[in-house]
Amino acid sequence: MDLNGARILVVGATGVLGRRLCERLSERTTAIVVTGRSASGAEELRRGLGLRAAHALDLVDHDEAAAVVHRAAEELGGLDAVVIATGVAAFGPAADEDEAVVEELFEVNALGPMAVIRAAVPHLADGGAIAVLTGVVAELPLAGMAGYAASKAAMASWLGSLRRELRRRRIAVVDARLPHMDTGLVDRALTGLPPRLPPGHNVDDVIAAVERGLERGVHELRVD
Ligand SMILES: NC(=O)c1ccc[n+]([C@@H]2O[C@H](COP(=O)([O-])OP(=O)(O)OC[C@H]3O[C@@H](n4cnc5c(N)ncnc54)[C@H](OP(=O)(O)O)[C@@H]3O)[C@@H](O)[C@H]2O)c1
């Protein structure tokens, strides 16, 4: 898809990766609606980059998620792309995981994004794109992060079916299986301490790859 002038909804734009992606995308289009859990955080980002609109959205509320998507589509006159950059992590042995933590992992990393995408599909233009920042853990479940990896794998699998269903409309479904970066995500984990992780990849390089992946409609994006 052509990103120049494209109408894009970015969910989770106030996170480190979401924000960086918005900064890059805003060089190609300002027809962008952003969301963050805090209305003021999203509005500050919108104002700083001169974007179209900003909304508060907690993904745990699926009705609210659908309402925000419909509003964004109205504000933009339709959607060419939806990018989901929300996510939470949690660490600890699988057998010790707290039920409420696992539920939140699945809400934020899988069920909430699915609700956003379901609401967005009818608004998406043929030839458009959907991108979700999943993570390499979707295919490489490491010890000490079972719930996080499982929530990402669930999302990745769902995207695989969606991709096949949207083929006729030429809507690309980009599953961005990103490597570890030092964004502070692991320090904001719902619980536990991360295992020893490899040195983080460069955020700008990874975000540039996401932008290219969105543009080219790459199915499963990996950054070596
Ligand atoms: N960093 C990495 O190494 C890495 C690697 C692979 C994949 N990823 C994935 O990339 C995505 C972004 O990660 P990041 O590194 O940019 O982390 P981040 O800075 O912590 O961003 C996380 C985003 O998720 C949002 N969020 C958390 N809980 C939410 C909820 N209940 N409802 C709505 N939004 C919620 C946060 O909103 P607030 O701003 O309101 O807190 C923030 O926008 C995540 O899905 C992560 O799993 C990251």
Side-chain angles (χ1 to χ4, degrees):
M1 69 169 291
D2 184 3
L3 290 173
N4 296 308
R7 301 160 299 173
I8 306 176
L9 168 63
V10 181
V11 176
T14 49
V16 173
L17 299 181
R19 179 179 297 270
R20 191 66 202 100
L21 186 61
C22 284
E23 286 165 1
R24 276 193 78 100
L25 292 174
S26 68
E27 291 168 17
R28 318 277 298 273
T29 177
T30 53
I32 297 177
V33 174
V34 290
T35 81
R37 263 182 305 185
S38 110
S40 57
E43 174 54 24
E44 191 187 320
L45 176 68
R46 185 205 69 75
R47 210 175 320 114
L49 296 176
L51 307 180
R52 186 70 53 86
H55 302 292
L57 175 60
D58 189 322
L59 276 185
V60 170
D61 185 341
H62 297 185
D63 291 340
E64 182 61 19
V68 166
V69 172
H70 297 320
R71 204 159 149 208
E74 249 174 53
E75 287 161 339
L76 294 169
L79 293 171
D80 296 306
V82 177
V83 179
I84 301 187
T86 50
V88 278
F91 301 105
D96 296 341
E97 278 181 333
D98 181 273
E99 186 96 15
V101 168
V102 177
E103 279 173 12
E104 187 165 347
L105 287 169
F106 274 77
E107 277 294 345
V108 180
N109 297 338
L111 301 176
M114 289 175 197
V116 167
I117 294 169
R118 274 196 298 272
V121 164
H123 296 291
L124 271 168
D126 291 358
I130 295 166
V132 182
L133 308 188
T134 58
V136 73
V137 293
E139 61 194 37
L140 190 70
L142 299 175
M145 53 178 89
Y148 177 61
S151 65
K152 293 291 190 179
M155 189 69 224
S157 171
W158 193 86
L159 291 175
S161 296
L162 182 74
R163 181 177 304 117
R164 287 171 177 82
E165 291 162 10
L166 296 181
R167 207 160 27 199
R168 287 225 174 108
R169 290 181 56 197
R170 294 173 292 104
I171 294 176
V173 176
V174 182
D175 174 357
R177 300 196 178 176
L178 305 185
H180 170 63
M181 288 156 278
D182 294 317
T183 63
L185 173 77
V186 299
D187 307 314
R188 290 185 285 280
L190 298 175
T191 185
L193 294 172
R196 235 160 65 97
L197 294 165
H201 274 65
N202 180 283
V203 168
D204 286 335
D205 291 348
V206 173
I207 290 302
V210 172
E211 186 187 14
R212 277 196 304 275
L214 194 58
E215 203 156 29
R216 294 176 189 166
V218 169
H219 291 181
E220 290 168 11
L221 177 75
R222 291 179 183 77
V223 182
D224 293 325

